[in-house]
């Protein structure tokens, strides 16, 4: 009997100095992209799993490696505005206004797709999601490859997004040709996605650029959060599934306007789970941690504000999974600034297990 053929027999991990990426290494990684291979790389948001966006077979390998349903489209990355013409057509003037202020950076724009971009990358849609990343390693890779790079987050489908090369390896070792290890990512959650192809600009996913920063340029900006059950085929818009970013443990999200009452409810719940013999983890904003003193729980600190929470969120979920714990309790931040995106990821990680504390 023949062994199953493994398309990615070995994964090479290469350390990259983020300030001055080694040109020879980048040239090699760029060549792998041009030849149809997969390269995982850091961006300022999360790590991406990259392939030549203009090569349908290479793009298909992304879906295979991630075990991602073909109905979930992939973001195309470019190094400069000059490359925008290669991937999108009929770009509205507001896209250039947004690009001027937010590119390179954590903003993705959905635009009409250029016919040279294979439909598979956009799950057959007539549109394409485009982003210009700011991370020096992402920039160097895009320059070296010379082609636009399609890259979803470099995790297995429905797992927490990777904010370090170790997270990428945990999910994709043996499924990607090279992982460029540029250390931990800065923002920690994915880009904000704005669809510019409809009658009004619409937020498809809150992310690294807060909506408050976009509104002055997009006064009509609409945002309707969608949390759908796990039937991918029936989802009207891609990326709206309830289950996403999920660790193995059950996640319970606590919400409420009075932080002290919320913390009290978390304390009681943790106490109850521990008494029942469960192992419990708490993802805690620094100032909240003291409330859980004396409990037999694992605490992971998430910093002092919404931005720090975003940076620590996915790594925290993976850390608690590795302990392992069976239950993860977390207080949602206020939905302002990056807190909106953190709350969105928590709701999906919890698959809807939200406890409202009044
Ligand atoms: O920060 C980020 O955006 C990271 C880094 C690697 O750039 N990428 C990322 O990709 O988060 P991914 O695959 O995890 O999320 C892509 C999401 C899809 O699930 C979908 O919601 C949206 O982007 N998307 C992509 N193309 C689209 C399109 N043509 N129309 C509507 N939504 C699209
Ligand atoms: Mg993703």
């Amino acid at each position: 009997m023949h062994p199953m053929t493994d398309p990615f027999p070995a994964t090479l991990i290469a350390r990259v100095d983020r300030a001055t990426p080694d040109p020879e290494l980048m040239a090699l990684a760029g060549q792998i992209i041009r030849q149809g291979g997969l390269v995982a790389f850091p961006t300022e948001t999360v790590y991406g799993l990259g392939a030549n966006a203009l090569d349908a077979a290479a793009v298909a390998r992304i879906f295979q490696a991630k075990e991602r349903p073909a109905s979930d489209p992939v973001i195309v990355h470019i190094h400069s505005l000059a490359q925008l013409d290669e991937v999108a057509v009929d770009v509205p003037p507001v896209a250039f206004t947004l690009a001027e202020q937010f590119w390179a950076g954590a903003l993705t724009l959905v635009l009409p797709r250029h016919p040279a971009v294979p439909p598979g990358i956009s799950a057959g849609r007539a549109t394409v999601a485009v982003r210009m990343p700011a991370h020096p390693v992402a920039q160097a890779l895009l320059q070296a490859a010379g082609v636009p790079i399609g890259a979803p987050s470099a995790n297995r489908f429905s797992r927490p997004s990777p904010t370090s090369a170790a997270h990428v390896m945990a999910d994709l070792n043996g499924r990607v040709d090279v992982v460029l290890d540029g250390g931990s990512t800065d923002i920690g959650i994915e880009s904000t996605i704005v669809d510019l192809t409809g009658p009004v600009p619409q937020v498809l996913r809150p992310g690294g650029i807060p909506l408050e920063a976009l509104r002055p340029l997009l006064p009509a900006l609409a945002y309707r959060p969608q949390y759908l059950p796990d039937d991918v085929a029936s989802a009207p818009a891609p990326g709206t599934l309830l289950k996403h970013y999920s660790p193995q443990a059950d996640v319970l999200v606590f919400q409420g306007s009075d932080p002290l009452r919320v913390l009290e409810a978390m304390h009681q719940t943790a106490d109850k789970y521990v008494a029942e013999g469960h192992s419990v983890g708490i993802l805690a904003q620094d100032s909240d941690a003291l409330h859980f003193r004396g409990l037999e729980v694992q605490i992971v600190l998430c910093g002092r504000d919404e931005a720090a929470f975003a940076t620590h969120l996915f790594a925290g979920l993976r850390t608690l999974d590795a302990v392992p714990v069976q239950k993860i309790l977390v207080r949602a931040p206020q939905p302002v600034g990056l807190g909106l995106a953190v709350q969105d990821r928590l709701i999906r990680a919890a698959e809807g297990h939200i406890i409202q504390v009044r």
Side-chain angles (χ1 to χ4, degrees):
M1 221 173 79
H2 291 288
M4 288 224 316
T5 45
D6 184 348
F8 313 109
T11 295
L12 171 78
I13 315 184
R15 277 271 171 83
V16 202
D17 177 27
R18 57 172 290 161
T20 49
D22 174 22
E24 270 178 56
L25 175 61
M26 288 299 128
L28 175 70
Q31 194 183 350
I32 290 170
I33 293 281
R34 279 197 307 280
Q35 289 173 350
L38 298 185
V39 176
F41 61 98
T43 80
E44 67 276 30
T45 57
V46 300
Y47 273 72
L49 176 62
N52 180 354
L54 305 180
D55 176 346
V59 169
R61 294 178 84 200
I62 295 177
F63 285 88
Q64 189 187 351
K66 281 194 61 141
E67 297 172 27
R68 180 182 177 110
S71 56
D72 194 359
V74 166
I75 295 170
V76 174
H77 298 69
I78 56 174
H79 58 60
S80 62
L81 271 183
Q83 242 182 352
L84 186 57
D85 291 341
E86 292 176 39
V87 299
V89 292
D90 301 331
V91 178
V94 70
F96 292 102
T97 314
L98 289 165
E100 197 168 307
Q101 188 164 339
F102 297 106
W103 280 359
L107 178 66
T108 295
L109 300 176
V110 176
L111 299 165
R113 179 167 51 84
H114 191 291
V117 177
I121 207 160
S122 296
R125 292 166 178 257
T127 57
V128 63
V130 188
R131 167 160 119 79
M132 188 192 299
H135 196 289
V137 176
Q139 274 287 335
L141 177 66
L142 283 159
Q143 295 280 354
V147 290
I149 293 180
S153 50
N155 52 284
R156 294 242 197 146
F157 186 66
S158 92
R159 298 261 302 134
S161 295
T163 57
S164 73
H167 298 161
V168 178
M169 289 301 283
D171 279 17
L172 299 176
N173 190 8
R175 292 165 173 248
V176 45
D177 297 300
V178 181
V179 178
L180 298 174
D181 179 355
S184 292
T185 59
D186 303 323
I187 298 176
I189 45 169
E190 305 84 346
S191 60
T192 300
I193 305 180
V194 176
D195 186 351
L196 296 177
T197 64
V200 292
Q202 195 173 343
V203 176
L204 300 184
R205 176 178 75 186
I209 301 289
L211 302 197
E212 293 90 332
L214 295 172
R215 287 230 155 83
L217 292 181
L218 296 172
L221 187 65
Y223 174 45
R224 270 177 259 114
Q226 284 189 296
Y227 300 101
L228 300 169
D230 64 354
D231 181 359
V232 182
S234 69
T240 51
L241 294 182
L242 177 57
K243 177 177 174 164
H244 204 153
Y245 316 106
S246 312
Q248 312 286 328
D250 296 331
V251 179
L252 282 90
V253 176
F254 291 73
Q255 273 182 334
S257 53
D258 181 346
L260 283 178
R261 292 180 66 98
V262 175
L263 289 165
E264 183 50 35
M266 285 173 74
H267 194 288
Q268 279 175 18
T269 305
D271 223 7
K272 181 187 97 175
Y273 279 137
V274 171
E276 288 170 5
H278 293 294
S279 53
V280 176
I282 295 179
L283 219 49
Q285 297 164 61
D286 289 1
S287 55
D288 290 354
L290 282 179
H291 291 268
F292 306 108
R293 255 182 325 185
L295 281 177
E296 291 274 316
V297 296
Q298 298 282 332
I299 296 179
V300 168
L301 295 177
C302 284
R304 295 150 57 107
D305 57 21
E306 288 83 22
F309 205 145
T311 306
H312 293 105
L313 173 64
F314 289 131
L317 292 174
R318 284 178 183 260
T319 300
L320 288 173
D321 248 358
V323 171
V325 298
Q326 294 159 304
K327 308 282 179 188
I328 298 176
L329 277 46
V330 51
R331 179 167 80 87
Q334 293 305 308
V336 295
L338 292 187
L340 180 67
V342 171
Q343 181 183 278
D344 171 77
R345 304 309 187 268
L346 286 174
I347 290 170
R348 295 181 206 279
E351 297 175 53
H353 295 153
I354 318 292
I355 291 133
Q356 289 291 346
V357 183
R358 280 171 231 286

